[in-house]
Amino acid sequence: MIKILVDRPEPDTLSIKKRQDFDKVLKSYEKQRRVFHNPWFFGVVGFSCLLIIFSIALNN
Amino acid sequence: MAINALYHQSPVRLEEELRIIEKAKLNPAHFGPLYSRYHESIFRYIFRRVEDVEAAYDITSQVFVKAIGALPKFEYRGVPFSSWLFRIAKSELYQFFRDNKANRMVSIDSVRIGQVMDEFMEDHSEEDRERLLKVLPLLKEDQLQLIEMRFFEKRSFREIGEIVGLTENNAKVKTFRALIKLKQLFNKK
C-alpha cells in the first residue's frame, strides 16, 4: 500500500549529522565480511547444496 | 536542494572524490569522507519513502555497508558516485519493503503539489490537489518513482536515468508518459 504524506516535517541537518556513525558502519561491514569469508560458511552452504541435489536425484 | 548540489560537482571535486574512492577500495577506513558527504542526502531519500524514522536511519547505514562491500566493483564511467549510492539505496529500500511488509510512503510538500498541478491546468483549487493525492498511489511503482524524483525532489533527467538505469532521453520520455498517465487518472476520478 502506498501512503501519501503532505508536509511531513523532516529532521534538520544537525540532527541527521548527529546520527552519523561511520565506525558502526565499518564494524557492520567487517562483521558481514567475516561471515562471507569464513570457510565454514561456504562449507555449510556447499554441503547443504550437495544434500539437496542428492535428495532430488534420489527422488527422481 | 542539497541532493542536486552534490550531483553537479566541479571537475576538481570529482577528481578528489575519485581519489578517495581508489583509496577506500584498498582500505575501507578511507571511506569516511564519502560517508560524511553523502549520508544526509541518502538519508533524506530514504526518509521520504519510509514511515519510521529509525528504520530510515538503519536502512541508510545498511546502504553504506553495502556500498563499502561493493566498492571494489565501482568503476567511474561518467555516472557519478552519488547515483551509484542512490541505486544501492533504492535496492535496499525495496528489500526493506519486502522483508517488513512496510508501507511505501510518498512525502510531498504542498508547494510541489501545486507545481505538478501546473502541468495539468492553469488554475487549480484545493479540491483538485486533494484529487491528485488520491490518484497518485494508483500509478505503477516505476511511474510513481519517476514523478517523485522529477517533481517532488527536482532531480535532473540525467540523474533520474542514472538512478533507475535509463538513458537521459529514456528517463525524459518515461517521465512524460507517467505524467500523462497521472493526468488520465486525475481526469477519470
Side-chain angles (χ1 to χ4, degrees):
Chain A
M1 206 183 102
I2 294 169
K3 235 173 136 179
I4 308 273
L5 278 186
V6 180
D7 292 332
R8 179 191 191 191
E10 283 201 18
D12 58 277
T13 298
L14 198 70
S15 61
I16 298 171
K17 275 215 158 65
K18 272 187 194 162
R19 295 291 301 264
Q20 284 191 1
D21 189 348
F22 182 61
D23 286 340
K24 193 178 147 199
V25 168
L26 214 51
K27 272 181 197 152
S28 301
Y29 161 73
E30 290 295 343
K31 208 171 147 190
Q32 285 188 13
R33 199 178 66 102
R34 270 201 298 272
V35 171
F36 289 113
H37 282 185
N38 187 340
W40 275 100
F41 174 78
F42 288 106
V44 170
V45 170
F47 186 66
S48 314
C49 287
L50 279 176
L51 268 183
I52 292 167
I53 291 166
F54 268 123
S55 58
I56 291 170
L58 279 176
N59 281 334
N60 288 335
Chain B
M1 187 185 249
I3 292 167
N4 289 336
L6 280 172
Y7 179 75
H8 300 289
Q9 295 191 66
S10 68
V12 178
R13 197 166 157 161
L14 192 68
E15 219 166 273
E16 180 226 331
E17 188 168 277
L18 290 175
R19 266 201 304 274
I20 299 172
I21 292 168
E22 289 311 312
K23 272 167 78 181
K25 278 182 183 179
L26 302 172
N27 180 0
H30 289 124
F31 194 87
L34 298 170
Y35 173 80
S36 310
R37 186 176 292 174
Y38 292 109
H39 177 269
E40 185 179 346
S41 53
I42 294 291
F43 169 77
R44 289 194 189 281
Y45 172 85
I46 292 165
F47 175 80
R48 290 180 193 133
R49 288 158 175 85
V50 296
E51 195 162 14
D52 180 16
V53 64
E54 286 309 312
Y57 279 115
D58 289 346
I59 301 166
T60 307
S61 295
Q62 193 53 27
V63 169
F64 286 100
V65 172
K66 285 272 165 76
I68 295 173
L71 199 64
K73 283 183 245 159
F74 175 82
E75 273 180 52
Y76 181 72
R77 289 186 187 143
V79 175
F81 182 68
S82 62
S83 302
W84 185 75
L85 280 180
F86 280 115
R87 271 194 211 183
I88 298 176
K90 191 172 84 111
S91 109
E92 283 304 305
L93 252 181
Y94 289 113
Q95 188 64 49
F96 171 79
F97 293 139
R98 277 194 298 273
D99 293 348
N100 299 281
K101 293 185 172 57
N103 282 336
R104 157 84 153 95
M105 299 266 312
V106 179
S107 307
I108 320 169
D109 67 68
S110 23
V111 181
R112 303 265 193 247
I113 303 171
Q115 286 169 355
V116 177
M117 290 304 304
D118 291 340
E119 301 281 333
F120 294 176
M121 51 179 78
E122 274 180 23
D123 292 317
H124 38 84
S125 60
E126 191 53 44
E127 204 177 288
D128 291 327
R129 269 176 248 177
E130 289 294 319
R131 191 144 57 110
L132 180 78
L133 295 180
K134 276 188 188 142
V135 297
L136 256 178
L138 303 178
L139 283 176
K140 284 182 190 160
E141 177 57 35
D142 56 336
Q143 292 176 323
L144 180 64
Q145 252 187 72
L146 294 169
I147 296 283
E148 201 175 19
M149 285 196 273
R150 178 64 187 169
F151 296 101
F152 308 150
E153 295 175 346
K154 291 283 163 200
R155 292 177 199 266
S156 68
F157 286 117
R158 190 168 162 203
E159 188 183 12
I160 293 172
E162 284 160 0
I163 295 171
V164 298
L166 295 170
T167 61
E168 184 178 357
N169 237 353
N170 240 335
K172 202 183 276 184
V173 170
K174 288 203 170 187
T175 306
F176 184 65
R177 281 189 197 144
L179 196 63
I180 291 174
K181 182 72 192 167
L182 187 62
K183 204 171 174 178
Q184 284 169 351
L185 291 167
F186 177 83
N187 289 329
K188 244 192 234 173
K189 268 265 172 186

